Amino acid sequence: MSTTDDSDGVMSYKDKENGKTFVSEDNGASWMSEEDYNNSHPAINYEWWTYDEYKEWLEQEKKTLQEMADEHAIAETSEGSFEWTQEMTDQYIAEYEQTLEDIKNGLLVSKSVNGDDECMTTFNPNWVGSTTD
């Protein structure tokens, strides 16, 4: 039997006799099949921007934000309403341009998480380290 400890209370082992993997969420007090564990903890589905897609989106967003500033658009939020300003447009465009540069440099930026395009996450492959024995 080989055991993996994920150090957050989740452990797994592979039964050498039948080849099945079992998982514990309570540091080994109880065990379930890997299939049952995966069914109760579905994988998150990310849709990532490509550089070209984000660049195209950004060009359109620049036009939209500039129109809002030029028209002195009123934006509504849960905290009230406010007038959209040129300073806000400049700030958002600068942030979006930085995101585009980050994508160019390998950062993964999600379009959606599990189909929700209001949720965003990022991942940098350089954040994952490797160890050698």
Side-chain angles (χ1 to χ4, degrees), residues 28-74:
S30 62
W31 295 90
M32 69 180 83
S33 71
E34 182 178 38
E35 180 181 347
D36 287 344
Y37 178 81
N38 289 337
N39 286 338
S40 64
H41 297 82
I44 297 172
N45 182 21
Y46 298 101
E47 183 181 4
W48 305 106
W49 285 101
T50 67
Y51 176 84
D52 291 335
E53 288 171 334
Y54 194 88
K55 184 176 180 181
E56 182 179 324
W57 171 84
L58 177 54
E59 291 307 313
Q60 182 57 48
E61 190 68 4
K62 285 179 181 180
K63 293 174 188 173
T64 300
L65 293 174
Q66 190 58 57
E67 287 172 7
M68 290 172 63
D70 293 345
E71 295 171 3
H72 303 282
I74 302 298

Side-chain angles (χ1 to χ4, degrees), residues 13-22 34:
Y13 78 89
K14 186 170 191 169
D15 187 308
K16 289 184 180 181
E17 289 183 23
N18 64 20
K20 293 183 179 181
T21 299
F22 295 89
E34 182 178 38

Side-chain angles (χ1 to χ4, degrees), residues 1 7-8 10 12 20 30 37-39 42 57 62 71-72 77 80 83 93 96 99 107 110 119 122 132:
M1 167 172 62
S7 299
D8 62 356
V10 178
S12 66
K20 293 183 179 181
S30 62
Y37 178 81
N38 289 337
N39 286 338
W57 171 84
K62 285 179 181 180
E71 295 171 3
H72 303 282
T77 71
E83 182 178 329
I93 289 173
Y96 294 152
T99 299
L107 184 72
S110 67
C119 182
T122 60
T132 57

